[in-house]
Amino acid sequence: MTLLVKSSYSHRFLSSSTPTMSVCSSFCPQLRSYFRQKPINSLPTKPLFPLSFKVFSSQATGVSAKDELPGRIGFLGMGIMGTPMARNLLKAGCDVTVWNRTKSKCDPLISLGAKYQPSPDEVAASCDVTFAMLADPESAMDVACGKHGAASGMGPGKGYVDVSTVDGDTSKLINGHIKATGASFLEAPVSGSKKPAEDGQLIFLAAGDKSLYNTVAPLLDIMGKSRFYLGDVGNGAAMKLVVNMIMGSMMATFSEGLLLSEKVGLDPNVLVEVVTQGAISAPMYSLKGPSMIESLYPTAFPLKHQQKDLRLALGLAESVSQSTPIAAAANELYKVAKSHGLSDEDFSAVIEALKAKK
């Protein structure tokens, strides 16, 4: 498993034999800075896609390959995550074609220079690599494999990267449809919400075709701060569900703590300070705590998606006979919050389900 992290200390991980990478491109002129910040462990020895921008080795190491990277990039799904991810690709100078069921959501990106196609298959047909960021397994399947789905526009030499959060079975089904066209498939769900997506600080949990992973690695580095390659299709989906299961359970417990502190006469703002300075500190406590105390839940990660991920994680646990009683209890709490009309609020609104309990 490979971890690549954006860091000013990244040079510590490079040996003297590691080639220094320099990039020139007509489509992604800003890639140079991304390669300096986030080294790539390996790139394919042969091009997977037609040339649009190149990586050169500037150090004499016996290898003088010019590995070619995809130049025409498709992006399906302009939601709370897809929009900032595609925007970062555009800001890096990449050639991006977008699609969304509601075209108006594409308009801000079109104004930044993105191209538009009216269906997923037309995006895939016009691009070398197509990314998809959809809300749930049903949407991911429909956009990839349904009528006018991306698979209809795929073929040999093309790649499909699904960065949606889905279960492993769905990811494997999409993989089968894409590979049947002769194209390559990579699942790469992300850890991170709206702000990390805007800031290019996502974590990619990739699995599937290794050559495609190596090819799109510079694009992942534009959109994220680190990436993991986890092997076979399904492993990325599983890792993401485990991570979000932990996160959902943490938020439920944090909500209980905030309310309990207030009930016993403590200042919940002080609780947030104490928690964020101790061993159990997590960024979401300091980010979400103050607004939760004010009963404000600006949406970064919709509550309905957190509950969906808990449901899928519980299904994953059941498939391997792993007991997950804490996650199961948290899932019930998110279901109560949904019943109170909080589906589209941030997942931190789960605290309202506890307020409602007598």
Side-chain angles (χ1 to χ4, degrees):
M1 182 172 70
T2 303
L3 167 64
L4 298 114
V5 182
K6 181 190 297 183
S7 169
S8 58
Y9 300 98
S10 59
H11 64 276
R12 295 180 181 176
F13 299 100
L14 298 175
S15 70
S16 59
S17 63
T18 303
T20 301
M21 308 298 277
S22 62
V23 180
C24 68
S25 167
S26 60
F27 287 117
C28 289
Q30 295 181 21
L31 275 174
R32 179 188 298 272
S33 63
Y34 286 98
F35 277 103
R36 280 203 303 266
Q37 293 171 327
K38 294 181 287 187
I40 295 175
N41 65 314
S42 62
L43 288 169
T45 57
K46 294 183 180 180
L48 183 61
F49 298 105
L51 172 66
S52 286
F53 49 90
K54 303 177 183 179
V55 180
F56 298 94
S57 171
S58 61
Q59 182 175 338
T61 60
V63 177
S64 59
K66 294 186 291 182
D67 293 323
E68 301 172 359
L69 303 172
R72 297 172 300 170
I73 303 160
F75 215 110
L76 310 175
M78 295 296 105
I80 197 169
M81 298 293 288
T83 295
M85 293 170 72
R87 185 187 300 119
N88 283 334
L89 292 174
L90 284 166
K91 286 181 177 179
C94 298
D95 184 338
V96 181
T97 300
V98 297
W99 170 87
N100 193 74
R101 285 191 178 94
T102 305
K103 181 183 179 295
S104 61
K105 290 190 175 182
C106 296
D107 290 342
L109 294 168
I110 294 171
S111 69
L112 293 175
K115 299 171 184 175
Y116 171 79
Q117 290 288 353
S119 64
D121 59 338
E122 291 175 273
V123 172
S126 66
C127 295
D128 301 311
V129 171
T130 300
F131 288 85
M133 172 57 91
L134 291 314
D136 50 46
E138 294 75 21
S139 297
M141 272 293 296
D142 183 54
V143 169
C145 311
K147 186 177 180 181
H148 302 301
S152 298
M154 303 299 294
K158 293 181 179 289
Y160 190 79
V161 185
D162 194 343
V163 293
S164 316
T165 299
V166 301
D167 57 286
D169 288 342
T170 297
S171 194
K172 290 172 185 176
L173 281 171
I174 296 173
N175 174 54
H177 280 84
I178 298 298
K179 290 182 71 174
T181 72
S184 302
F185 176 79
L186 187 74
E187 62 173 0
V190 300
S191 180
S193 56
K194 181 181 179 182
K195 189 65 164 61
E198 292 172 343
D199 295 342
Q201 294 291 302
L202 296 170
I203 301 168
F204 287 91
L205 308 172
D209 190 283
K210 185 64 180 292
S211 293
L212 179 55
Y213 170 75
N214 288 332
T215 299
V216 303
L219 305 178
L220 302 183
D221 290 343
I222 290 171
M223 299 181 284
K225 67 178 180 180
S226 61
R227 49 185 163 87
F228 295 80
Y229 180 75
L230 303 173
D232 295 335
V233 171
N235 289 345
M239 181 67 81
K240 176 60 189 294
L241 292 179
V242 171
V243 169
N244 276 19
M245 179 189 77
I246 295 170
M247 182 175 71
S249 300
M250 288 171 62
M251 180 56 75
T253 301
F254 182 54
S255 298
E256 291 179 333
L258 287 175
L259 293 177
L260 178 59
S261 68
E262 191 170 16
K263 277 286 183 72
V264 299
L266 299 173
D267 185 345
N269 290 288
V270 175
L271 173 66
V272 173
E273 290 188 43
V274 172
V275 167
T276 55
Q277 293 184 38
I280 63 170
S281 176
M284 74 174 184
Y285 295 150
S286 57
L287 288 172
K288 307 287 187 183
S291 59
M292 292 170 70
I293 293 167
E294 298 297 323
S295 299
L296 300 173
Y297 315 105
T299 305
F301 180 46
L303 186 143
K304 63 185 177 184
H305 291 170
Q306 176 63 80
Q307 193 276 317
K308 176 261 298 183
D309 292 348
L310 279 166
R311 172 176 58 82
L312 294 176
L314 291 172
L316 177 65
E318 185 176 358
S319 72
V320 293
S321 300
Q322 173 60 52
S323 177
T324 51
I326 295 171
N331 183 50
E332 292 304 312
L333 196 61
Y334 284 95
K335 287 164 66 176
V336 170
K338 284 177 63 178
S339 73
H340 289 295
L342 299 169
S343 290
D344 294 321
E345 299 289 334
D346 189 75
F347 80 115
S348 56
V350 70
I351 193 172
E352 294 294 332
L354 292 165
K355 292 178 182 178
K357 287 190 172 184
K358 301 296 184 183

